[in-house]
């Protein structure tokens, strides 16, 4: 699957986050279970392609998310997603990535992502809850969704990224 | 160890970091106009989200309705009773309105005074809703081309929902009143008063400012209430319209309890919001008549 197709799929998932997913979620869970579908794609790109793809995908889709729901501030998701994508790519560069490895990496990176987002918002005084509150209120519940989502789409996404990256990655290795 | 390649990378990283901090700091401010790339992205995503949100809402809302059919039936019953009451009140209202106009003529009201309570309700469809817990923006399908400006009030049939925070040509962002916070850099307070049957706008006695929301209890906080104020539990709180920024008479909620404020000089009250903030489909943007004149 080519990169263009992956981007189209990511766009569809991005659009579903604020619309279909929002309607599927029961009222009591909105604001608590936060979908990170795009982040999952970025992390898969970091693990199964390279860190530069993850950086660019994270930067652009983060910016898209920032702008599409612009209410308070622009750049939080863009910055964090690019940062987390790049670091994950850097850590996983020289390692054989098994499924367990990829999953634990996704869990870690999602936690780091949510933590960084929380701290940016609190530095700019846009949120006043304590970190423990944020952790229990939405970071941990949304982690379960993230695990479920990445497990469900593990096989197809891995295949897409690996098949489209083979030709290029040989050249980049040198 | 640090060759020039590494140093260059470091340098680029620092530049990008500084750039991001600048963008973050800049975007936080109260901007009246957005730049064209922002407008373009916001409008195009708004358009695509609109295509998905409504059908999803219809289908999933239908399942929800089927699940509690009994309640829908009860709701229907209630609506019928309200409709009957409405028909009766309408006749009464028409008479009173006619009389009011005659009296205004007799007292030589200026055009501005006459029109000051004539609000236009623009109906808007919700296009998408952010799932970010720190930024629960709701997007609606009316923009600056439809006369929407920042700080306009957004209501549903139940009550006040939020304020317009950002406007682009065809869509705009709504900040729900659950995001009100005195401590935030862009904090806003809504002047509020108690709804009294048969009292005119000028005769309102109670006064307070709705300025924050408690996320744990789900209650709005109304502060700066005078000690001698007659506000009590169970009162309906509406916007007071003072300051001519927000319109008069939008229902905010009911008073849950009242206590002495932080410094003991004024009182604060907790208010249960009247409107639902989840799964909205249609909202109204309230356009004030003198707002347009101020813009021009």
């Amino acid at each position: 699957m080519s990169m263009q197709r992956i981007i189209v799929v990511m766009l569809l998932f991005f659009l579903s986050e604020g619309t279909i997913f929002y309607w599927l979620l029961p009222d009591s869970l909105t604001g608590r279970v936060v979908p990170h579908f795009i982040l999952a794609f970025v992390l898969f790109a970091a693990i199964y392609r390279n860190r530069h793809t993850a950086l660019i995908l994270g930067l652009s889709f983060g910016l898209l998310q920032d702008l599409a729901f612009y209410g308070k501030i622009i750049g939080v998701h863009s910055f964090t997603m690019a940062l987390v994508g790049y670091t994950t790519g850097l850590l996983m560069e020289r390692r054989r990535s098994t499924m367990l490895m990829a999953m634990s990496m996704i869990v870690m990176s999602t936690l780091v992502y949510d933590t960084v987002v929380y701290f940016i918002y609190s530095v700019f005084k846009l949120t006043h809850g304590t970190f423990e509150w944020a952790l229990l209120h939405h970071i941990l519940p949304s982690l379960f969704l993230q695990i479920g989502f990445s497990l469900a789409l593990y096989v197809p996404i891995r295949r897409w990224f690996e098949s489209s990256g083979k030709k290029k990655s040989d050249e980049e290795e040198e | 160890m640090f060759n020039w390649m590494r140093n260059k990378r470091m340098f680029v990283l620092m530049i990008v970091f500084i750039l991001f901090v600048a963008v973050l700091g800049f975007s936080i401010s109260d901007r009246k106009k957005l730049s064209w790339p922002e407008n373009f992205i916001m409008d195009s995503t708004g358009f695509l989200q609109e295509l998905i949100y409504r059908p999803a809402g219809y289908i999933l809302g239908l399942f929800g309705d089927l699940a509690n059919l009994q309640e829908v039936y009860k709701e229907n019953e209630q609506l019928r009773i309200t409709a009957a009451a409405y028909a009766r009140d309408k006749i009464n209202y028409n008479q009173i309105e006619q009389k009011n106009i005659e009296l205004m003529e007799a007292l030589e009201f200026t055009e501005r005074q006459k029109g000051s309570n004539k609000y236009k309700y623009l109906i808007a469809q919700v296009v998408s809703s952010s799932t970010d817990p720190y930024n629960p923006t709701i997007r609606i399908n009316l923009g600056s081309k439809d006369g929407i400006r920042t700080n306009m009030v957004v209501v549903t049939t139940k009550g006040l929902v939020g304020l317009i925070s950002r406007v682009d040509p065809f869509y705009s962002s709504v900040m729900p009143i659950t995001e009100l916070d005195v401590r935030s850099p862009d904090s806003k307070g809504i002047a509020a008063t108690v709804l009294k049957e048969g009292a005119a706008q000028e005769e309102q006695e109670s006064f307070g400012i709705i300025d924050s929301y408690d996320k744990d209890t789900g209650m709005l906080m109304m502060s700066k209430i005078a000690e001698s104020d007659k506000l009590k539990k169970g009162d309906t709180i509406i916007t007071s319209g003072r300051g001519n920024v927000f319109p008069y008479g939008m229902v905010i909620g009911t008073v849950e309890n009242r206590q002495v404020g932080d410094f003991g000089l004024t009182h604060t009250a907790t208010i249960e919001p009247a409107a639902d903030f989840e799964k909205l489909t249609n909202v109204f943007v309230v356009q004030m008549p003198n707002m347009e004149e101020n813009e021009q």
Side-chain angles (χ1 to χ4, degrees):
Chain A
M1 197 139 149
S2 65
M3 205 60 210
Q4 284 96 315
R5 287 233 196 112
I6 295 177
I7 288 175
V8 170
V9 173
M10 282 177 79
L11 267 176
L12 284 179
F13 271 104
F14 169 73
L15 290 175
S16 75
E17 271 185 15
T19 52
I20 297 175
F21 184 79
Y22 174 72
W23 274 97
L24 281 172
L25 210 62
D27 278 0
S28 54
L29 290 180
T30 40
R32 297 205 63 182
V33 177
V34 186
H36 290 311
F37 300 156
I38 295 303
L39 182 68
F41 273 89
V42 170
L43 293 176
F44 273 118
I47 295 167
Y48 292 113
R49 283 292 288 279
N50 50 48
R51 55 180 198 271
H52 303 288
T53 323
L55 178 77
I56 293 181
L57 281 180
L59 209 61
S60 43
F61 274 94
L63 193 64
L64 183 66
Q65 186 175 346
D66 279 326
L67 284 174
F69 297 108
Y70 180 27
K72 288 176 182 167
I73 193 164
I74 288 179
V76 181
H77 294 281
S78 181
F79 175 75
T80 322
M81 227 181 260
L83 184 79
V84 169
Y86 189 81
T87 9
T88 310
L90 208 63
L91 287 173
M92 295 298 284
E93 208 171 25
R94 298 263 171 259
R95 255 166 244 173
R96 228 163 50 85
S97 32
T98 56
M99 181 164 165
L100 197 70
M101 191 71 188
M103 278 304 138
S104 44
M105 216 51 214
I106 285 177
V107 168
M108 283 233 316
S109 306
T110 311
L111 273 177
V112 171
Y113 175 83
D114 274 331
T115 312
V116 175
V117 166
Y118 167 80
F119 278 108
I120 293 178
Y121 272 111
S122 62
V123 159
F124 284 95
K125 301 236 181 288
L126 292 170
T127 179
H128 297 281
T130 58
F131 183 64
E132 288 81 48
W133 177 81
L135 197 70
L136 291 175
H137 182 256
H138 56 260
I139 297 181
L140 291 179
S142 31
L143 197 62
F144 286 106
L145 174 74
Q146 180 76 335
I147 295 170
F149 178 78
S150 16
L151 275 177
L153 288 180
Y154 177 78
V155 178
I157 297 183
R158 179 179 180 170
R159 196 174 296 150
W160 296 343
F161 275 116
E162 281 188 333
S163 69
S164 67
K166 254 184 194 132
K167 291 162 232 156
K168 277 184 194 165
S169 61
D170 291 339
E171 291 157 26
E172 276 171 23
E173 285 298 304
E174 283 147 44
Chain B
M1 189 155 176
F2 278 99
N3 54 14
W4 70 275
M5 196 53 190
R6 264 264 183 269
N7 271 334
K8 201 174 122 191
R9 198 167 283 175
M10 223 33 211
F11 191 67
V12 170
L13 208 71
M14 284 309 284
I15 295 275
V16 169
F17 186 72
I18 292 168
L19 205 75
F20 260 110
V21 173
V23 167
L24 288 168
F26 175 69
S27 64
I28 211 168
S29 59
D30 203 5
R31 296 162 67 201
K32 283 257 154 23
K33 281 236 160 60
L34 304 180
S35 62
W36 69 262
E38 288 169 299
N39 281 337
F40 175 73
I41 293 180
M42 288 168 90
D43 278 341
S44 43
T45 47
F47 174 74
L48 291 172
Q49 283 167 332
E50 190 174 13
L51 294 179
I52 307 175
Y53 189 89
R54 304 226 75 204
Y58 274 130
I59 295 164
L60 294 168
L62 186 71
F63 282 121
D65 283 347
L66 285 176
N68 45 25
L69 207 59
Q70 199 61 37
E71 266 177 48
V72 175
Y73 181 76
K74 263 184 210 152
E75 194 181 329
N76 204 13
E77 195 93 311
Q78 261 180 351
L79 284 175
R80 241 177 252 159
I81 295 166
T82 354
Y86 170 77
R88 197 180 58 226
D89 288 347
K90 180 80 184 163
I91 302 164
N92 207 353
Y93 170 79
N94 282 346
Q95 281 178 346
I96 292 169
E97 194 194 18
Q98 197 55 44
K99 196 160 195 178
N100 198 13
I101 290 169
E102 279 165 26
L103 288 172
M104 276 181 183
E105 294 287 333
L107 289 168
E108 292 175 344
F109 269 41
T110 62
E111 280 302 313
R112 195 186 63 79
Q113 281 171 320
K114 269 186 215 165
S116 67
N117 274 347
K118 271 186 196 145
Y119 302 134
K120 238 202 244 167
Y121 289 77
L122 303 169
I123 188 161
Q125 259 96 50
V126 176
V127 161
S128 67
S129 182
S130 170
T131 44
D132 188 349
Y134 309 110
N135 177 31
T137 307
I138 299 163
R139 302 271 297 151
I140 56 170
N141 68 348
L142 290 181
S144 59
K145 289 267 197 296
D146 308 291
I148 306 290
R149 300 283 174 270
T150 48
N151 282 336
M152 276 187 176
V153 160
V154 178
V155 296
T156 57
T157 44
K158 284 182 184 161
L160 185 68
V161 171
L163 308 171
I164 301 275
S165 58
R166 308 281 170 189
V167 185
D168 49 289
F170 300 103
Y171 296 89
S172 42
S173 304
V174 178
M175 183 193 81
I177 46 172
T178 54
E179 281 303 295
L180 289 174
D181 198 331
V182 226
R183 293 169 296 177
S184 78
D186 54 349
S187 73
K188 279 162 190 152
I190 301 170
T193 181
V194 173
L195 174 71
K196 258 192 227 151
E197 301 290 337
Q201 186 178 350
E202 283 74 22
E203 286 169 20
Q204 297 298 335
E205 287 165 358
S206 300
F207 179 79
I209 289 179
I210 306 266
D211 54 11
S212 50
Y213 177 79
D214 191 339
K215 285 207 167 84
D216 291 332
T217 54
M219 296 284 175
L220 288 161
M221 300 298 288
M222 182 168 167
S223 61
K224 300 192 176 63
I225 305 165
E227 245 176 300
S228 55
D229 213 307
K230 280 175 192 149
L231 179 138
K232 61 182 188 301
K233 191 184 167 190
D235 280 350
T236 305
I237 298 295
I238 57 171
T239 54
S240 79
R242 286 192 191 174
N244 286 333
V245 181
F246 303 123
Y248 163 76
M250 304 297 145
V251 177
I252 298 171
T254 47
V255 177
E256 194 67 16
N257 61 53
R258 173 185 174 163
Q259 61 283 90
V260 179
D262 290 340
F263 301 107
L265 297 171
T266 55
H267 285 204
T268 57
T270 44
I271 287 152
E272 193 179 0
D276 292 331
F277 301 99
E278 306 292 347
K279 311 261 158 58
L280 298 170
T281 47
N282 293 320
V283 293
F284 298 95
V285 185
V286 185
Q287 208 174 21
M288 287 170 73
N290 45 3
M291 219 162 176
E292 282 163 55
E293 288 156 29
N294 291 345
E295 291 286 331
Q296 281 157 11

